[in-house]
Amino acid sequence: MSTEQLLSVKNLVTQFKLDDGLLTAVDHVSFNCNKGETLGIVGESGCGKSVTAFSILNLVPPPGKITGGEIIFENENLLNKTSSKMQKIRGKDISMIFQEPMTSLHPVFSIGSQITETLKIHLKMTESQAKERAIELLRTVKIPNPEQRFRDYPHQLSGGMRQRVMIAIALSCNPKLLICDEPTTALDVTVQAQILRLINKIKNTFNMSVIIITHDLAVVSEIAERVIVMYAGRIVEESVERDIFQKPLHPYTEALLKSIPSSGGDGERLYMIKGMVPNLLKKNIGCLFALRCDYAMKHCTEAEPALADIGARKVRCFRYTDKVEERP
């Protein structure tokens, strides 16, 4: 794996102006993704994972807006690009697999037409060239009888097959970065494993970078080389995959790992993180995880810890640093 950066997100802030106030869904988030790397971003629902992904593509839905930071891709800030230039980048240099293939695929257009459209727009292929390439892509993602499936419609395919079609569309222009937003949600365990193996194989074949967004730590352990843990719009831990599973540093990461059901079936009660995610519409003081944390100290409710370097890892917790967060 290369250590050359492909993507660098710096102090990204994405906010939603709601009737009840201003909600900061992504709060001064910074991270890098190197060439050829698989980066996992994990956290429970509402932590800002998917909004981070949509921000990279500048596809934040209204009333959301990117209000701060930089997104540097191949040494250029994507936030300075015009909408027409971003349209050329999306699907060609950066592709995304969405979590709901049935809603992402258009129900009244055939599978083949939805793949060839991307090829004709971005690569200026003729109809016959695009069809040949589309069938080749369907074969690459292990869809049987690709010539027939090319003519099929989304409702004629299983959930796993539709997700493979989404992967084919995402790969159609050989992107440099593939973003996968909960790519195995709603799929059974066997199909999940097949999809993850497929993404990993394709990533190695085409030397792509992959960002995989998930709430499922089992998915991260299967595919990611480095992991970022998000909570309430902020990064709370960053580490290589093996370290985060062997020795989690942040109490939230530890709690997530304890919440994974064991396969032993020993009858023990499933661990549950106490409390609720803080209301981000309110002004929160101190560590955002403090009220749910088994290790919280008085200081944790009075100030927020900075994201500190602990060797090759990063963690936002007063158990490892006395530095307080200073917002830009």
Side-chain angles (χ1 to χ4, degrees):
M1 183 188 70
S2 169
T3 56
E4 185 181 352
Q5 286 181 13
L6 178 69
L7 176 77
S8 179
V9 176
K10 301 179 181 179
N11 285 316
L12 178 65
V13 180
T14 303
Q15 298 177 310
F16 289 79
K17 193 172 183 179
L18 307 175
D19 292 339
D20 296 335
L22 193 64
L23 188 150
T24 303
V26 179
D27 193 354
H28 294 92
V29 163
S30 299
F31 63 89
N32 301 320
C33 183
N34 298 324
K35 290 184 177 180
E37 177 183 39
T38 300
L39 173 69
I41 302 180
V42 300
E44 59 194 311
S45 298
C47 73
K49 312 182 299 293
S50 293
V51 178
T52 299
F54 284 112
S55 298
I56 292 170
L57 287 166
N58 210 343
L59 285 176
V60 179
K65 186 178 180 182
I66 299 171
T67 58
E70 297 180 321
I71 301 171
I72 309 298
F73 179 75
E74 292 196 312
N75 301 315
E76 293 188 5
N77 188 357
L78 297 183
L79 299 184
N80 292 337
K81 299 284 186 185
T82 62
S83 59
S84 61
K85 286 185 177 178
M86 276 306 301
Q87 284 179 351
K88 291 178 181 178
I89 290 171
R90 293 187 206 110
K92 186 174 186 295
D93 295 321
I94 306 175
S95 282
M96 187 164 177
I97 302 170
F98 298 92
Q99 59 179 292
E100 292 292 345
M102 197 60 202
T103 55
S104 301
L105 292 169
H106 202 295
V108 302
F109 291 103
S110 69
I111 295 302
S113 67
Q114 295 186 61
I115 301 174
T116 57
E117 180 185 24
T118 303
L119 294 165
K120 288 186 286 187
I121 290 172
H122 289 296
L123 301 183
K124 310 299 181 188
M125 286 187 175
T126 64
E127 188 69 42
S128 60
Q129 288 173 330
K131 180 179 179 180
E132 184 179 343
R133 170 68 172 154
I135 291 171
E136 179 190 330
L137 285 163
L138 291 174
R139 192 173 287 114
T140 298
V141 298
K142 307 296 182 186
I143 288 183
N145 196 5
E147 291 82 4
Q148 171 60 42
R149 294 305 187 186
F150 180 89
R151 298 189 293 271
D152 285 349
Y153 290 83
H155 73 272
Q156 296 175 276
L157 276 62
S158 67
M161 286 291 187
R162 288 194 294 266
Q163 194 61 288
R164 288 169 187 267
V165 170
M166 288 299 300
I167 295 171
I169 293 171
L171 293 174
S172 58
C173 297
N174 293 328
K176 296 165 185 174
L177 174 63
L178 178 64
I179 301 174
C180 308
D181 186 15
E182 301 278 9
T184 58
T185 296
L187 300 177
D188 65 55
V189 176
T190 304
V191 179
Q192 282 186 23
Q194 292 171 355
I195 294 295
L196 291 175
R197 283 197 296 269
L198 178 60
I199 291 170
N200 202 42
K201 182 179 178 180
I202 288 169
K203 171 240 176 183
N204 291 329
T205 300
F206 295 98
N207 195 31
M208 291 186 305
S209 300
V210 175
I211 296 177
I212 189 156
I213 293 165
T214 181
H215 66 277
D216 190 342
L217 284 163
V219 169
V220 167
S221 68
E222 186 77 23
I223 195 170
E225 296 152 308
R226 191 160 52 90
V227 182
I228 287 170
V229 181
M230 289 186 70
Y231 180 77
R234 317 217 68 198
I235 291 176
V236 296
E237 185 166 355
E238 181 179 336
S239 175
V240 296
E241 176 268 330
R242 64 179 179 274
D243 289 346
I244 217 162
F245 280 91
Q246 290 172 1
K247 187 183 177 183
L249 297 182
H250 198 277
Y252 177 58
T253 312
E254 182 182 317
L256 285 177
L257 288 168
K258 286 165 69 175
S259 301
I260 299 174
S262 66
S263 58
D266 52 16
E268 281 191 19
R269 199 175 166 86
L270 187 65
Y271 178 83
M272 184 173 67
I273 305 173
K274 64 184 179 183
M276 299 289 290
V277 178
N279 184 349
L280 298 181
L281 287 168
K282 295 181 178 179
K283 184 174 177 60
N284 294 288
I285 299 171
C287 172
L288 295 175
F289 191 63
L291 296 179
R292 309 177 75 188
C293 181
D294 293 333
Y295 306 99
M297 304 170 283
K298 185 175 182 292
H299 186 45
C300 300
T301 61
E302 298 170 342
E304 185 173 20
L307 188 64
D309 293 320
I310 308 297
R313 305 173 68 176
K314 294 181 180 179
V315 65
R316 188 186 299 278
C317 183
F318 283 128
R319 295 167 70 205
Y320 303 95
T321 181
D322 57 2
K323 293 180 181 178
V324 173
E325 175 80 337
E326 293 183 10
R327 300 286 179 89

